[in-house]
Amino acid sequence: SLAYKTDECILKQIIKSNSKCNSDNEHLRLIIYYKSHTIASLVSKNNQSAKLSELKQTNVVYEYKCSHEDCEPHNRSYIGVTTTTLYRRLTMHLGSGGPKTHE
């Protein structure tokens, strides 16, 4: 199927219409790499059966429900997304940011 060619054209259009080089002498060039299923099947993954604890997972969408006395009666919550571990992100929230300052 040539569907990937259509996807490439769409990606190029999105990038071209939403980005700009700092200099007129520079040009943006998009290179897309594909991983074949044959190569992917040859690469073994460590601990395929081992599950990470929720706090060690990355690329997570999470909901933080505040137990602060001002928030709890209103059932307030914060929806976030993180590419770091959930533990790291929650630690950052406790140090500063919306959930700590109730913004």
Side-chain angles (χ1 to χ4, degrees), residues 7-57:
D7 292 342
E8 285 181 10
C9 288
I10 292 169
L11 281 171
K12 287 178 182 180
Q13 288 172 345
I14 291 170
I15 291 171
K16 185 178 180 180
S17 63
N18 291 293
S19 60
K20 182 181 177 185
C21 292
N22 291 333
S23 169
D24 291 336
N25 297 336
E26 296 176 340
H27 300 282
L28 184 63
R29 182 175 169 204
L30 177 64
I31 300 173
I32 301 173
Y33 293 95
Y34 294 94
K35 180 170 61 171
S36 74
H37 294 291
T38 305
I39 293 173
S41 66
L42 295 174
V43 177
S44 66
K45 296 177 182 165
N46 294 332
N47 299 326
Q48 290 179 354
S49 61
K51 282 193 163 189
L52 293 174
S53 76
E54 288 181 357
L55 291 175
K56 292 181 182 178
Q57 292 181 4

Side-chain angles (χ1 to χ4, degrees), residues 53-103:
S53 76
E54 288 181 357
L55 291 175
K56 292 181 182 178
Q57 292 181 4
T58 58
N59 301 311
V60 176
V61 176
Y62 60 94
E63 179 180 21
Y64 177 84
K65 291 186 178 184
C66 186
S67 58
H68 189 270
E69 61 189 32
D70 293 337
C71 297
E72 198 168 33
H74 303 287
N75 198 24
R76 292 184 180 163
S77 64
Y78 172 86
I79 304 293
V81 63
T82 183
T83 56
T84 67
T85 62
L86 185 56
Y87 176 82
R88 173 82 175 117
R89 185 66 188 122
L90 293 175
T91 302
M92 291 163 51
H93 276 311
L94 294 174
S96 64
K100 180 176 172 83
T101 59
H102 296 88
E103 293 175 0

